[in-house]
Amino acid sequence: MSTRSIWGLRHNSHSVILTVLQRKFEPEITMHIMALTQPCPRGWLNELDQSSRGYTQAEFWKSLARTCERGLLDAVFIADIMGIYDSYKGSWQPAVQHGVQAPHDDATLVAATMAAVTDKLCFGVTWNTSLQSPYNTARTFTSLDHLTNGRIGWNIVTGYVKNVEDNGMGQLLSHDERYAQADEFMDVVYKLWEHSWEDDAVVRDRVRRMHADPSKVHEIHHKGKYYSVKGPHMCEPSRQRTPVLLQAGGSPRGLAFGGKHAEALFTINPTPEKAAESVRKARQAAVAAGRDPSDVKVLAGVCLIVGRTTAEADEKYRAAREAISLDAAFTLFGGWTGVDLSAYDPDDLIETIKSDGMQAVIKNFTYVDPGRAWRVRDFGEWLKGGTLAPDIVGSVKEVADELERWMRVAGVDGFMVQPYTTPGSHEDLVNLVIPELQARGLFRTEYEGDTFRERLTGADPRLPQRHPAKRLAIGSGRT
């Protein structure tokens, strides 16, 4: 069996037999699957990838939306960054030359375009708390939730690209203080979404010449360390009021933030055994925030390279990775960590590089293969997929076996599937993998629920009462 992760691990036939036995004796499991995309060139040197020309075209996004809805996916997750990566070689030019998340369009507009040609597919939109105002954020997401009839989620990020400071977009605070600022940011948007307009405020009464009853629309009077917002909210309540809250912080501070706010947490781990630790920590973080552990769904990030045969998958994998240069990979790594690998020889051992960001990465490597002497060029090879997520390469059956193994070993609720090519990876997911998962009873055969929150939780379109957003009071600062 040739299914493997980017780390070169192979799963022998014993894991397949174990999966089959578990399937007979364990309860049914149902996967949530979201598919990542990004409005920028990705694997543009690969002749199978259409993103370089397509990302600027509305029809490209409409076609991708129709494909993902046909596959009954939970959502399309639209990644976004603000600022151009400029750590590698001390310049933004490598990012532009190699098309490393530059140029880049606005994720909110892409979501609106895709939503216009779909009825059930949901959308997770990345939005930055460090570089936006809470007041405008509340209006943007309420508007998107209105226009999609409740199919919008917000991937909450705090920002990390220093380049934004050179472009008048504000100052990036230290890592932990960015999360402190984001906590207060959430307080403000919660007050606007959940507490500013009563459900029956809009009356549309022609006789009284009253569109909305002012007595049922409230100022929030928030005064805190970072924000002072009077209100009221610009928008009447949307179907969900608050968009589905998504988050991917992996640091202790980020995990605490996710445990308090998120309804779905994304985690990237090299193995399902390691992912099981992330699931446990996510559940614990929710409990620590006064929530039920089941309030947070945990989705594992994976890259699927699938073919009708193992050989076909291997060829796709080879072509995709050959289309990414080491310079492009090092540019991406510099953007994420601030570490400029151009200062090192590709054969230098990674232990010679001293930085907080690098130490976290080294831990990931040594967990998988502690006996290997990792070198700088290994980072480049590792990042050629444009993500830290593990690759699962194989035939349809092999890939489905591995996804099922992750579900059972890690206890994840599903997957964030990241592409090597667009729309090719999405088409393979929908045309090849989804039918196999459906045949195994692991994935839906029709949509249930109309809103993103109903899809994710099977419950009400609105936030549950135990969510911290419901416990806030207007007319005050932090509670």
Side-chain angles (χ1 to χ4, degrees):
M1 178 175 177
S2 64
T3 305
R4 60 182 177 271
S5 77
I6 194 170
W7 310 93
L9 299 179
R10 291 179 177 271
H11 305 292
N12 60 34
S13 58
H14 293 295
S15 68
V16 180
I17 294 170
L18 179 60
T19 295
V20 172
L21 290 174
Q22 286 175 322
R23 195 183 304 147
K24 288 182 178 180
F25 298 111
E26 290 187 7
E28 283 280 310
I29 54 176
T30 302
M31 296 180 185
H32 293 282
I33 297 181
M34 302 184 194
L36 183 141
T37 191
Q38 194 164 3
C40 64
R42 283 181 67 88
W44 66 276
L45 284 173
N46 187 330
E47 62 182 14
L48 298 177
D49 187 89
Q50 300 174 25
S51 64
S52 178
R53 295 183 184 276
Y55 86 95
T56 62
Q57 305 299 313
E59 188 51 45
F60 175 81
W61 296 111
K62 291 176 182 178
S63 177
L64 183 63
R66 294 185 188 103
T67 295
C68 291
E69 185 165 70
R70 177 167 55 82
L72 304 177
L73 303 187
D74 290 70
V76 170
F77 178 95
I78 307 174
D80 198 3
I81 62 168
M82 299 186 77
I84 300 177
Y85 294 149
D86 61 358
S87 292
Y88 185 59
K89 298 183 178 178
S91 171
W92 50 263
Q93 294 183 11
V96 171
Q97 176 183 342
H98 298 291
V100 180
Q101 298 185 22
H104 203 294
D105 283 355
D106 189 317
T108 60
L109 301 182
V110 171
T113 300
M114 298 178 82
V117 297
T118 54
D119 297 313
K120 298 291 187 181
L121 184 67
C122 300
F123 302 91
V125 181
T126 300
W127 187 269
N128 191 310
T129 60
S130 298
L131 307 173
Q132 302 282 0
S133 75
Y135 192 73
N136 185 56
T137 298
R139 185 177 75 157
T140 296
F141 277 93
T142 297
S143 300
L144 285 170
D145 205 50
H146 278 310
L147 295 173
T148 62
N149 197 25
R151 293 184 286 140
I152 284 295
W154 170 22
N155 175 41
I156 308 162
V157 297
T158 60
Y160 59 92
V161 184
K162 293 288 288 182
N163 174 268
V164 299
E165 294 184 348
D166 300 328
N167 292 295
M169 299 181 72
Q171 179 182 4
L172 284 182
L173 304 174
S174 65
H175 177 274
D176 283 5
E177 190 172 0
R178 288 202 301 272
Y179 275 111
Q181 180 189 43
D183 265 325
E184 187 180 334
F185 189 108
M186 299 308 296
D187 285 351
V188 178
V189 293
Y190 290 155
K191 291 174 184 179
L192 293 168
W193 283 327
E194 296 289 334
H195 304 287
S196 183
W197 287 65
E198 296 180 31
D199 279 335
D200 57 352
V202 176
V203 294
R204 300 183 180 92
D205 187 332
R206 289 188 176 91
V207 174
R208 290 189 293 163
R209 296 178 179 269
M210 180 183 289
H211 183 267
D213 183 346
S215 70
K216 296 187 176 183
V217 180
H218 310 287
E219 296 175 349
I220 66 169
H221 295 288
H222 176 92
K223 292 187 181 296
K225 178 179 179 180
Y226 300 99
Y227 303 105
S228 178
V229 179
K230 180 180 179 181
H233 186 21
M234 280 287 293
C235 306
E236 65 179 276
S238 64
R239 188 163 181 183
Q240 295 186 119
R241 274 194 177 263
T242 295
V244 166
L245 302 167
L246 316 169
Q247 204 258 342
S251 68
R253 186 63 183 86
L255 191 59
F257 181 89
K260 177 180 179 182
H261 300 285
E263 296 171 89
L265 276 170
F266 307 122
T267 180
I268 292 181
N269 290 280
T271 67
E273 291 78 12
K274 184 68 172 174
E277 296 180 22
S278 293
V279 172
R280 177 178 54 80
K281 290 177 180 178
R283 309 279 191 231
Q284 290 175 339
V287 171
R291 303 170 67 197
D292 190 280
S294 64
D295 286 347
V296 179
K297 304 295 183 186
V298 183
L299 276 66
V302 293
C303 291
L304 306 184
I305 304 91
V306 59
R308 289 177 174 81
T309 65
T310 302
E312 180 185 330
D314 285 341
E315 176 55 26
K316 286 181 181 181
Y317 184 70
R318 182 200 62 77
R321 296 186 70 77
E322 283 187 357
I324 307 296
S325 69
L326 282 178
D327 264 3
F330 290 157
T331 299
L332 184 64
F333 184 76
W336 287 347
T337 65
V339 177
D340 181 5
L341 291 178
S342 69
Y344 300 88
D345 187 281
D347 289 318
D348 282 348
L349 293 171
I350 59 175
E351 286 83 356
T352 64
I353 303 171
K354 304 299 182 185
S355 82
D356 291 341
M358 183 62 80
Q359 297 313 305
V361 173
I362 289 172
K363 280 185 178 180
N364 236 354
F365 271 78
T366 55
Y367 176 86
V368 176
D369 194 350
R372 180 174 175 181
W374 292 96
R375 301 183 182 277
V376 170
R377 71 172 64 252
D378 295 324
F379 282 103
E381 294 300 325
W382 176 42
L383 284 171
K384 280 189 173 183
T387 175
L388 308 182
D391 292 337
I392 299 174
V393 186
S395 68
V396 176
K397 181 181 182 301
E398 290 170 336
V399 168
D401 283 341
E402 187 66 359
L403 291 178
E404 187 170 354
R405 191 175 80 91
W406 273 73
M407 289 286 288
R408 298 192 184 280
V409 173
V412 294
D413 297 290
F415 299 94
M416 171 66 68
V417 179
Q418 306 188 29
Y420 263 93
T421 62
T422 305
S425 294
H426 304 82
E427 291 168 347
D428 286 346
L429 172 62
V430 168
N431 297 334
L432 301 177
V433 179
I434 294 298
E436 176 66 18
L437 295 175
Q438 290 170 329
R440 299 180 184 205
L442 298 174
F443 194 71
R444 66 175 66 89
T445 54
E446 61 182 17
Y447 278 122
E448 295 181 3
D450 295 323
T451 68
F452 198 166
R453 187 164 285 111
E454 289 173 295
R455 188 80 39 76
L456 191 65
T457 67
D460 194 273
R462 300 284 175 86
L463 279 171
Q465 287 299 319
R466 59 180 170 265
H467 192 279
K470 298 291 191 177
R471 301 197 292 264
L472 288 168
I474 61 175
S476 65
R478 298 284 310 274
T479 60

XYZ file of all heavy atoms in Angstrom, residues 411-465:
436
model
N -9.911 10.819 16.532
C -11.157 11.316 17.097
C -11.564 12.662 16.547
O -12.346 13.386 17.177
N -11.042 13.025 15.353
C -11.435 14.285 14.737
C -12.862 14.177 14.205
O -13.387 13.083 13.992
C -10.474 14.686 13.596
C -9.094 14.988 14.153
C -10.395 13.607 12.525
N -13.483 15.330 13.996
C -14.852 15.368 13.477
C -14.882 15.426 11.957
O -15.967 15.343 11.367
C -15.588 16.574 14.043
C -15.716 16.498 15.562
O -16.477 15.635 16.039
O -15.038 17.274 16.257
N -13.729 15.589 11.353
C -13.674 15.650 9.903
C -12.380 16.270 9.445
O -11.375 16.266 10.177
N -12.401 16.860 8.231
C -11.166 17.279 7.589
C -11.307 18.617 6.883
O -12.361 18.939 6.324
C -10.727 16.226 6.562
C -10.461 14.888 7.181
C -11.466 13.926 7.214
C -9.243 14.599 7.773
C -11.240 12.692 7.807
C -9.016 13.370 8.375
C -10.011 12.411 8.386
N -10.216 19.377 6.935
C -10.024 20.526 6.074
C -9.096 20.058 4.962
O -7.904 19.817 5.200
C -9.389 21.682 6.841
C -8.961 22.846 5.956
S -10.342 23.661 5.196
C -11.082 24.397 6.648
N -9.626 19.880 3.765
C -8.857 19.316 2.656
C -8.204 20.449 1.882
O -8.889 21.338 1.357
C -9.748 18.465 1.742
C -8.934 17.910 0.587
C -10.377 17.322 2.538
N -6.885 20.410 1.816
C -6.121 21.467 1.174
C -5.631 20.990 -0.195
O -5.218 19.847 -0.343
C -4.962 21.884 2.074
C -5.457 22.263 3.469
C -4.391 22.860 4.346
O -3.457 23.490 3.880
N -4.544 22.694 5.660
N -5.679 21.868 -1.208
C -5.424 21.429 -2.576
C -3.967 21.549 -2.996
O -3.235 22.415 -2.515
C -6.282 22.395 -3.393
C -6.186 23.678 -2.609
C -6.141 23.264 -1.154
N -3.561 20.684 -3.930
C -2.324 20.890 -4.667
C -2.607 21.671 -5.945
O -1.813 22.506 -6.353
C -1.677 19.545 -5.023
C -0.590 19.138 -4.052
C -0.866 18.330 -2.972
C 0.716 19.571 -4.225
C 0.131 17.950 -2.081
C 1.717 19.209 -3.344
C 1.418 18.394 -2.270
O 2.412 18.040 -1.390
N -3.740 21.388 -6.578
C -4.119 22.125 -7.777
C -5.582 22.557 -7.653
O -6.379 21.889 -6.999
C -3.963 21.275 -9.051
O -4.837 20.138 -8.981
C -2.526 20.800 -9.222
N -5.885 23.690 -8.291
C -7.259 24.198 -8.301
C -7.693 24.391 -9.751
O -6.977 25.030 -10.517
C -7.350 25.543 -7.564
O -6.832 25.391 -6.237
C -8.775 26.027 -7.472
N -8.812 23.792 -10.167
C -9.790 23.064 -9.349
C -9.554 21.557 -9.295
O -10.408 20.831 -8.781
C -11.095 23.359 -10.074
C -10.696 23.403 -11.516
C -9.325 24.020 -11.534
N -8.428 21.063 -9.804
C -8.215 19.627 -9.933
C -8.351 18.858 -8.640
O -9.003 17.804 -8.588
N -7.759 19.378 -7.549
C -7.844 18.676 -6.273
C -9.279 18.624 -5.764
O -9.712 17.627 -5.180
C -6.956 19.368 -5.233
O -5.589 19.262 -5.575
N -10.029 19.695 -5.985
C -11.431 19.729 -5.559
C -12.274 18.745 -6.386
O -13.154 18.060 -5.848
C -11.982 21.143 -5.708
C -11.191 22.178 -4.966
N -10.040 22.738 -5.484
C -11.370 22.747 -3.739
C -9.546 23.605 -4.619
N -10.334 23.634 -3.547
N -11.985 18.664 -7.679
C -12.716 17.729 -8.532
C -12.423 16.285 -8.140
O -13.319 15.433 -8.128
C -12.364 17.988 -9.990
C -12.903 19.321 -10.504
C -12.335 19.723 -11.852
O -11.329 19.088 -12.271
O -12.871 20.650 -12.477
N -11.167 15.991 -7.807
C -10.828 14.633 -7.367
C -11.521 14.293 -6.052
O -11.969 13.161 -5.851
C -9.308 14.498 -7.198
C -8.581 14.423 -8.530
O -9.247 14.210 -9.562
O -7.337 14.571 -8.542
N -11.592 15.256 -5.151
C -12.296 15.030 -3.888
C -13.761 14.696 -4.146
O -14.298 13.727 -3.602
C -12.185 16.277 -3.008
C -13.010 16.308 -1.722
C -12.584 15.186 -0.776
C -12.894 17.672 -1.033
N -14.403 15.488 -4.997
C -15.838 15.326 -5.252
C -16.127 14.100 -6.118
O -17.068 13.336 -5.841
C -16.400 16.603 -5.904
C -17.810 16.371 -6.450
C -16.397 17.745 -4.896
N -15.342 13.881 -7.150
C -15.641 12.810 -8.114
C -15.139 11.441 -7.686
O -15.708 10.416 -8.075
C -15.031 13.150 -9.477
C -15.629 14.405 -10.087
O -16.766 14.767 -9.788
N -14.859 15.088 -10.926
N -14.069 11.410 -6.885
C -13.456 10.135 -6.537
C -13.623 9.769 -5.057
O -14.086 8.678 -4.729
C -11.957 10.165 -6.887
C -11.620 10.438 -8.360
C -10.106 10.515 -8.547
C -12.204 9.364 -9.264
N -13.238 10.684 -4.162
C -13.200 10.339 -2.742
C -14.591 10.327 -2.117
O -14.941 9.383 -1.388
C -12.275 11.311 -1.974
C -12.257 10.962 -0.485
C -10.863 11.263 -2.541
N -15.400 11.352 -2.377
C -16.718 11.443 -1.750
C -17.587 10.222 -2.052
O -18.198 9.654 -1.125
C -17.429 12.746 -2.150
C -16.687 13.970 -1.597
C -18.884 12.743 -1.686
C -16.613 14.040 -0.096
N -17.695 9.754 -3.304
C -18.512 8.557 -3.547
C -18.052 7.341 -2.752
O -18.882 6.546 -2.282
C -18.357 8.331 -5.054
C -18.065 9.686 -5.609
C -17.214 10.350 -4.577
N -16.736 7.190 -2.571
C -16.229 6.059 -1.791
C -16.609 6.205 -0.318
O -17.009 5.226 0.339
C -14.708 5.963 -1.935
C -14.044 4.880 -1.099
C -14.418 3.462 -1.508
O -14.923 3.265 -2.638
O -14.209 2.528 -0.686
N -16.511 7.415 0.223
C -16.905 7.636 1.614
C -18.402 7.418 1.802
O -18.843 6.872 2.813
C -16.517 9.055 2.043
C -15.012 9.384 2.086
C -14.808 10.858 2.418
C -14.272 8.501 3.077
N -19.186 7.839 0.827
C -20.639 7.617 0.900
C -20.962 6.129 0.872
O -21.841 5.659 1.614
C -21.330 8.333 -0.261
C -21.314 9.845 -0.134
C -21.788 10.540 -1.395
O -21.600 10.045 -2.507
N -22.410 11.704 -1.238
N -20.257 5.384 0.051
C -20.499 3.940 -0.032
C -20.188 3.248 1.287
O -20.787 2.216 1.610
C -19.658 3.337 -1.156
N -19.286 3.824 2.070
C -18.928 3.261 3.374
C -19.840 3.789 4.500
O -19.657 3.426 5.660
C -17.474 3.602 3.713
C -16.461 3.046 2.723
C -15.047 3.427 3.135
N -14.066 2.974 2.145
C -12.787 2.724 2.411
N -12.343 2.863 3.658
N -11.973 2.327 1.461
N -20.764 4.673 4.162
C -21.640 5.250 5.173
C -20.967 6.293 6.031
O -21.421 6.578 7.140
N -19.890 6.893 5.536
C -19.113 7.846 6.322
C -19.413 9.296 5.976
O -18.942 10.202 6.673
C -17.613 7.597 6.117
C -17.089 6.230 6.552
C -15.630 6.070 6.161
C -17.247 6.064 8.050
N -20.164 9.529 4.898
C -20.418 10.898 4.470
C -21.845 11.023 3.966
O -22.417 10.062 3.426
C -19.427 11.308 3.369
C -19.398 12.792 3.108
C -18.845 13.663 4.037
C -19.934 13.312 1.942
C -18.828 15.031 3.804
C -19.911 14.679 1.701
C -19.363 15.545 2.627
N -22.415 12.192 4.138
C -23.819 12.430 3.799
C -24.114 12.122 2.324
O -23.240 12.253 1.458
C -24.189 13.879 4.107
C -23.474 14.894 3.223
C -23.971 16.307 3.488
N -23.626 16.769 4.821
C -22.488 17.396 5.133
N -21.574 17.613 4.210
N -22.257 17.788 6.363
N -25.348 11.788 2.056
C -25.803 11.612 0.677
C -26.778 12.711 0.276
O -27.225 12.762 -0.869
C -26.482 10.241 0.483
O -27.533 10.096 1.446
C -25.468 9.119 0.674
N -27.123 13.572 1.221
C -27.893 14.772 0.917
C -27.655 15.780 2.028
O -27.247 15.425 3.146
C -29.390 14.469 0.798
C -30.017 13.901 2.059
C -31.495 13.579 1.889
O -31.956 13.484 0.751
O -32.172 13.429 2.929
N -27.870 17.042 1.703
C -27.697 18.090 2.703
C -28.838 18.066 3.716
O -29.990 17.837 3.366
C -27.676 19.465 2.038
C -26.339 19.862 1.451
C -26.219 20.182 0.106
C -25.207 19.956 2.255
C -25.003 20.581 -0.439
C -23.982 20.347 1.732
C -23.883 20.662 0.378
O -22.675 21.055 -0.132
N -28.491 18.315 4.972
C -29.477 18.501 6.028
C -29.217 19.845 6.688
O -28.087 20.172 7.020
C -29.384 17.377 7.072
C -29.732 16.001 6.519
C -29.662 14.926 7.594
O -29.397 15.287 8.754
O -29.858 13.748 7.255
N -30.273 20.615 6.895
C -30.118 21.945 7.470
C -29.740 22.954 6.409
O -29.045 22.639 5.440
N -30.193 24.184 6.604
C -29.971 25.225 5.604
C -28.804 26.142 5.927
O -28.162 26.670 5.031
C -31.243 26.074 5.461
C -32.409 25.270 4.919
O -32.176 24.399 4.054
O -33.547 25.515 5.363
N -28.516 26.341 7.214
C -27.476 27.285 7.596
C -26.184 26.549 7.931
O -26.156 25.332 8.139
C -27.903 28.108 8.818
O -27.972 27.242 9.968
C -29.257 28.762 8.594
N -25.117 27.322 8.003
C -23.810 26.742 8.322
C -23.844 26.122 9.715
O -23.351 25.011 9.932
C -22.746 27.834 8.243
C -21.328 27.330 8.114
C -20.315 28.208 7.739
C -20.982 26.008 8.358
C -18.996 27.780 7.607
C -19.660 25.565 8.230
C -18.666 26.452 7.863
N -24.454 26.816 10.676
C -24.457 26.294 12.051
C -25.286 25.013 12.153
O -24.907 24.073 12.858
C -24.971 27.370 13.011
C -24.843 26.983 14.479
C -24.975 28.179 15.387
N -23.782 29.022 15.382
C -23.715 30.241 14.870
N -24.784 30.780 14.304
N -22.593 30.933 14.907
N -26.399 24.952 11.454
C -27.192 23.720 11.432
C -26.390 22.580 10.823
O -26.442 21.433 11.273
C -28.475 23.938 10.636
C -29.501 24.825 11.323
C -30.666 25.141 10.417
O -30.462 25.828 9.390
O -31.786 24.681 10.720
N -25.663 22.870 9.766
C -24.857 21.855 9.099
C -23.779 21.312 10.018
O -23.492 20.119 10.044
C -24.211 22.486 7.853
C -23.482 21.534 6.924
C -24.404 20.768 6.010
N -25.512 21.572 5.521
C -25.421 22.509 4.564
N -24.260 22.760 3.999
N -26.480 23.168 4.179
N -23.175 22.219 10.778
C -22.046 21.833 11.625
C -22.491 21.147 12.901
O -21.869 20.179 13.349
C -21.217 23.080 11.965
C -19.855 22.855 12.620
C -18.902 22.140 11.676
C -19.256 24.194 13.060
N -23.582 21.619 13.489
C -23.973 21.137 14.817
C -25.244 20.305 14.825
O -25.529 19.626 15.806
C -24.189 22.319 15.780
O -25.340 23.078 15.347
C -22.977 23.235 15.797
N -26.027 20.396 13.751
C -27.316 19.715 13.737
C -28.339 20.378 14.617
O -29.407 19.810 14.886
N -28.042 21.596 15.092
C -28.934 22.274 16.047
C -29.447 23.574 15.437
O -29.578 23.719 14.236
C -28.193 22.515 17.358
N -29.680 24.548 16.287
C -30.304 25.816 15.920
C -29.370 26.672 15.070
O -28.146 26.579 15.206
C -30.652 26.560 17.217
C -31.593 27.716 16.989
O -31.099 28.821 16.693
O -32.816 27.516 17.098
N -29.922 27.539 14.191
C -29.062 28.447 13.428
C -28.332 29.476 14.288
O -27.334 30.044 13.841
C -30.048 29.152 12.479
C -31.260 28.308 12.450
C -31.328 27.629 13.784
N -28.820 29.720 15.497
C -28.217 30.723 16.374
C -27.235 30.072 17.351
O -27.293 28.871 17.614
C -29.318 31.453 17.158
C -30.350 32.187 16.267
C -29.793 33.465 15.702
N -30.694 34.124 14.778
C -31.664 34.984 15.135
N -31.902 35.217 16.423
N -32.383 35.588 14.209
N -26.358 30.880 17.896
C -25.409 30.397 18.896
C -26.143 29.800 20.093
O -27.185 30.321 20.507
C -24.533 31.546 19.395
C -23.333 31.966 18.557
C -22.748 33.251 19.129
C -22.273 30.881 18.498
N -25.611 28.734 20.696
C -26.238 28.191 21.906
C -26.087 29.151 23.080
O -25.166 29.964 23.129
C -25.456 26.890 22.146
C -24.151 27.089 21.467
C -24.431 27.948 20.268
N -26.976 29.045 24.034
C -26.988 29.966 25.171
C -25.711 29.886 26.005
O -25.347 30.851 26.674
C -28.208 29.695 26.054
C -29.525 30.154 25.450
C -29.565 31.649 25.208
O -29.099 32.449 26.022
N -30.113 32.047 24.059
